[in-house]
Amino acid sequence: MLKILKYSIYDLLRSRWSYVYFLFYLLLGFVLLFLNNDVNKAVITLMNVIIVLTPLIGTIFGIMYFYNSKEFTELLLAQPIKRSNIFMGQYVGISLSLTLSLVLGLGIPFIVYGLFRSAAIFDFTLLLVVASFLNFIFVALAYNIALSTENKIKGFGYAILMWLFLAVVYDGLFLISLIAFNDYPLGKFSLIATMFNPIDLSRILILLKLDFSALLGYTGAVFKEFFGTAFGMVMSMLVLSLWVILPVLNINRKLRKKDF
Amino acid sequence: MINITNLSKSFGKLSVLENLDLEIKEGGIFAILGPNGSGKTTLIKCLLGMVIPDKGTISINDKSILKKWDYRNELNYLPQIANFPANLSVNELIDMVKDLRPKTANETELIAHFGLEPFLKKKLGHLSGGTKQKVNIVLTFMFDSQLIILDEPTTGLDPVSLIHLKELIRREKEKGKTILITSHIMSFVDDTADEIVFLLDGKIYFKGSVSQLKERTKETNLENAIAKLITE
């Protein structure tokens, strides 16, 4: 698996898109810092961009890589290598190279600006950790879709729909339900509903770390009580890990029955 | 060498292989023929473990290969469409495949055989279809394995390279290798194959030597013999 990982990272590092992605984050980092002139504010703006964009890029990259390397994967499948190792190598390769683009692209401007002298270093680190999780989660979800859809166009469509659902529609449904059941205590419900969407979970996690809970009213207080504690933090990280582990297990399950 | 019993595979409602039995002895060139959609590629992919059969058994040298992967070290496969990562150069691809397989490779001679030296540093994305196929052939033949499976090996090759390929196949045969070939180019099959396995509707319709086939169909030309086999 390490060999496949090595080659898929090598392949991706030579592709134009990794650099475009890296340069995009580099530019974003510099622009935000020099426009805001404040690391804290930059982290918040960055969060808003990252929480929507990272899943989108992860999804598109994952699905594109799968379909584009189909013939090459077939070449690998004929070699004496275990099936699951081929796909796990590719999966980790994509997720890692995306994470690398992100961490370097954002890390450099923030370090240049003087991150180490600022109090925002923990918030910023949390942001990077969450974004890395989102990369791993959405590439895994994209691989799940790609493995069950032969048709490239359909697969692409489903992947985008999945992203749209988790990034936009889910929030809408969530809000509607909050308004509809306004008369009931919704703290627990919101908390659980948040867990079922990695994007929401990441957003809330960062928002609360940045101490914006007052904006969220009573629910915010419930959230704060949960996420603010070490227990909440561990729980959220655990749920984010589950969001990686379960799709990855499902990839391996699908692979056992898949024809190429 | 290869023993297949009761092999069945269907994709959705379409049944591709139906209770297929096939035995292939060690040594010699076996051409797997049949009209489009007769299950040739599916049969080969079952052998490679890329397609998972619904039922039946496949064993190579008396060992079942289903759900295994290490047996592929003793097998060389030439895929039908040579499409490699466009970012890699020919040299890097060869090194990579060498790295992925534990066996030692002797690619230098093969590269010279097909005149690929000027292309070694070129990116695979910039190569023509025929040159890619030559790279594909080098990747397949650079390892010394007892079983060689070639899926449409002649695709895109010019006449000179075709002669080189035939020579290569002949040499491997002389070493006592078992070679399975699928092809639609009958003159190529006529030149190379010792035995013909004819697939029709997911079953073995005919198995025997080229001369036996000609005798049975009372045709002197292999192309006509096969055409007669399909229509009879």
Side-chain angles (χ1 to χ4, degrees), chain A residues 3 14 72 79 83 259, chain B residues 9 50 52 92 99 101:
Chain A
K3 278 181 186 167
R14 303 184 74 176
F72 182 59
Q79 305 300 330
R83 233 180 215 209
D259 297 318
Chain B
K9 177 70 193 177
M50 287 161 81
I52 293 155
E92 284 165 338
D99 188 28
R101 288 181 75 150

Side-chain angles (χ1 to χ4, degrees), chain B residues 50-114:
Chain B
M50 287 161 81
V51 167
I52 293 155
D54 298 333
K55 64 181 174 101
T57 59
I58 305 174
S59 53
I60 294 179
N61 293 332
D62 298 324
K63 266 184 239 147
S64 171
I65 57 148
L66 297 174
K67 295 192 179 123
K68 304 235 171 55
W69 55 273
D70 43 356
Y71 73 93
R72 286 199 287 266
N73 197 26
E74 294 305 320
L75 182 160
N76 297 345
Y77 168 60
L78 180 97
Q80 194 167 13
I81 311 158
N83 220 337
F84 304 117
N87 288 329
L88 292 178
S89 73
V90 177
N91 245 338
E92 284 165 338
L93 179 72
I94 292 176
D95 286 343
M96 176 183 144
V97 175
K98 272 162 71 180
D99 188 28
L100 289 173
R101 288 181 75 150
K103 280 193 165 171
T104 48
N106 57 331
E107 75 281 8
T108 342
E109 193 200 336
L110 283 167
I111 289 168
H113 191 74
F114 285 99

